[in-house]
Amino acid sequence: MKQDIFQAISDPTRRAILTLIAIQALTPNAMAEKFDMTRQAVSKHIKVLHECELIKAEHSGREIYYHFNAKKMQEFDHWLAQFRQNWETQFNQLDQLLTTIKEQK
């Protein structure tokens, strides 16, 4: 079953993994050491992130290094941008309303 990107980033450990591998590609064993969890637990998180295409695997000999997929995150950010502009407009309108109410008092 393909995972939803929202489900993937809803977990704090997966967000931390994304932050970590955005800096440097890591193997599952290296991630497990950084997060003080078993390799199996990290593998479950990696599976979700990989299915959402937020990370990419690169085979190097017997090791698999996982890289942050900035392009996929950028696609997600572009999608969110439409909502961000709407939120900013609504917050600005609320700010203006509150300023008007404050001035009237």
Side-chain angles (χ1 to χ4, degrees):
M1 177 174 100
K2 187 164 176 147
Q3 299 291 327
D4 182 289
I5 193 168
F6 292 104
Q7 182 181 14
I9 62 173
S10 69
D11 184 274
T13 301
R14 288 193 284 267
R15 289 193 308 268
I17 289 172
L18 287 172
T19 301
L20 189 63
I21 65 171
I23 298 167
Q24 174 185 357
L26 293 172
T27 64
N29 287 334
M31 285 183 227
E33 290 174 10
K34 302 261 186 204
F35 290 98
D36 193 31
M37 62 175 61
T38 66
R39 164 90 165 63
Q40 292 80 9
V42 168
S43 291
K44 289 180 182 181
H45 289 295
I46 289 172
K47 180 181 178 187
V48 172
L49 293 169
H50 193 258
E51 287 177 354
C52 294
E53 301 174 355
L54 290 171
I55 62 175
K56 297 183 281 187
E58 178 186 316
H59 295 269
S60 178
R62 294 177 58 172
E63 296 286 344
I64 301 174
Y65 286 86
Y66 288 94
H67 299 265
F68 180 73
N69 184 0
K71 183 177 179 183
K72 186 66 174 186
M73 191 58 81
Q74 188 176 33
E75 290 173 14
F76 182 63
D77 183 55
H78 287 309
W79 180 80
L80 279 177
Q82 62 186 331
F83 300 104
R84 190 177 300 118
Q85 184 174 354
N86 186 33
W87 297 329
E88 288 176 8
T89 300
Q90 291 181 355
F91 284 131
N92 287 338
Q93 289 173 350
L94 177 61
D95 191 39
Q96 290 172 358
L97 176 65
L98 293 174
T99 300
T100 302
I101 291 171
K102 187 177 178 180
E103 289 173 354
Q104 289 176 352
K105 288 186 177 186

